[in-house]
Each structure stands twice: as C-alpha cells, then as structure tokens.
Amino acid sequence: MIAVPTLIGEVSIRLFVRHGDQQKALDFYENVFGAKVVGYPYLHNGELIAAELRMGASVIMIVGANPKRDADASLGGPRSVHAIGATPVMLDIHVDDVDRVMHHAVAEGGSLRNEVETLDSGDRAGVLTDPFGHLWVVKSQRKHLAA
C-alpha cells in the first residue's frame, strides 16, 4: 500500500506576469477582487519581484517572470502568459456580486471573454481575461430564499 502524504499547509498558486508588471498586477487584484498583500514583498536590489496576496481563503503569489526565460523558451519555464501567448489554466473566484465585479474589472483594464450568464443551478458566472493574460471564472452563488 502506498502512503498518501498529509497536506500540512495551504496550497499557494503562483501567477507569473511580465517582468515589471508585478505592481500593476497587485493593484489590479486588490482593486478588483479585494486581495490583500500578506507577509513581506520579495525584493531584489530594491525592486519588487514577487508578493503574496490573500484572496478569500487562498494565497496567490504574483511573480515577475524572468526576462531571459520569457525571451528564450529553451531555458524552460516558468514564463509569463504574454511570452507563451495563451494560458492553459482557468482560475475560479467566488464573489458576492459577479455583475459588479466584472464591470469593475473591465473598467480597470480586464476584458470579457464570456458575458455573465445565469447557469442552470441559478448561480451567475462570467469569464474575465485580466490585463496580464490570466483567465478568471467569476461566479456568484444564487441567493437562497427562506422557505
């Protein structure tokens, strides 16, 4: 029998952005999704290279991609979405008002990939491409009415 490891901490996701876009990404996620910087930002020679954000119960790290790796795929990843030209990942985020959040995200530089719609479950969802190329499925749960 194979021993299954026990998860002892939270899972953190790293979103790579073009080198130099780290602060813009932090500002976007704070303004649109209410993310909060946790801990200390990672600096190199006084320049911001990465920072951890708490978004609800999740931790997301925003990291500036190494410009050499972005320019030369043979060096291996990770690379920014802009260097690759697409992303194979969709991030789901649950918010209190999907229509308001999507409208605000577009005003802040994001773009709609899929308009907000009501799903068969009654939940509402839309897909946003943020200014850094990452795809977000933005959802609001239906309001449960008291019987």
Side-chain angles (χ1 to χ4, degrees), residues 6 8 18 22 28 30 34 39-40 47 53 58 63 65 73 77 80 86 92 96 98 109 115 124 128 133 138 145:
T6 302
I8 58 172
R18 248 187 314 229
Q22 297 91 301
F28 180 85
E30 285 178 323
Y40 295 101
E47 180 183 1
L53 299 173
S58 302
V63 183
S80 72
D92 281 28
D96 61 346
V98 66
E115 295 281 339
R124 292 186 48 74
L128 166 76
V138 184
L145 301 175

Side-chain angles (χ1 to χ4, degrees), residues 54-122:
R54 179 156 302 276
M55 299 173 90
S58 302
V59 174
I60 304 289
M61 181 178 277
I62 306 303
V63 183
N66 182 318
K68 290 179 186 174
R69 291 187 189 284
D70 257 5
D72 184 355
S74 71
L75 296 175
R79 299 171 71 208
S80 72
V81 173
H82 287 95
I84 297 167
T87 179
V89 175
M90 292 183 85
L91 303 151
D92 281 28
I93 188 165
H94 298 260
V95 298
D96 61 346
D97 182 345
V98 66
D99 296 284
R100 180 184 53 77
V101 169
M102 292 290 273
H103 179 76
H104 185 62
V106 169
E108 292 290 325
S111 60
L112 287 179
R113 179 171 168 244
N114 296 77
E115 295 281 339
V116 175
E117 63 180 322
T118 301
L119 307 175
D120 290 342
S121 64

Side-chain angles (χ1 to χ4, degrees), residues 1-79:
M1 176 179 255
I2 298 174
V4 177
T6 302
L7 183 63
I8 58 172
E10 60 194 10
V11 174
S12 176
I13 306 296
R14 291 181 184 204
L15 297 181
F16 285 83
V17 298
R18 248 187 314 229
H19 180 74
D21 282 352
Q22 297 91 301
Q23 187 61 55
K24 291 176 191 172
L26 293 177
D27 293 343
F28 180 85
Y29 300 131
E30 285 178 323
N31 289 336
V32 172
F33 297 135
K36 303 289 182 210
V37 174
V38 295
Y40 295 101
Y42 299 86
L43 303 174
H44 179 68
N45 295 329
E47 180 183 1
L48 176 68
I49 58 169
E52 291 179 327
L53 299 173
R54 179 156 302 276
M55 299 173 90
S58 302
V59 174
I60 304 289
M61 181 178 277
I62 306 303
V63 183
N66 182 318
K68 290 179 186 174
R69 291 187 189 284
D70 257 5
D72 184 355
S74 71
L75 296 175
R79 299 171 71 208

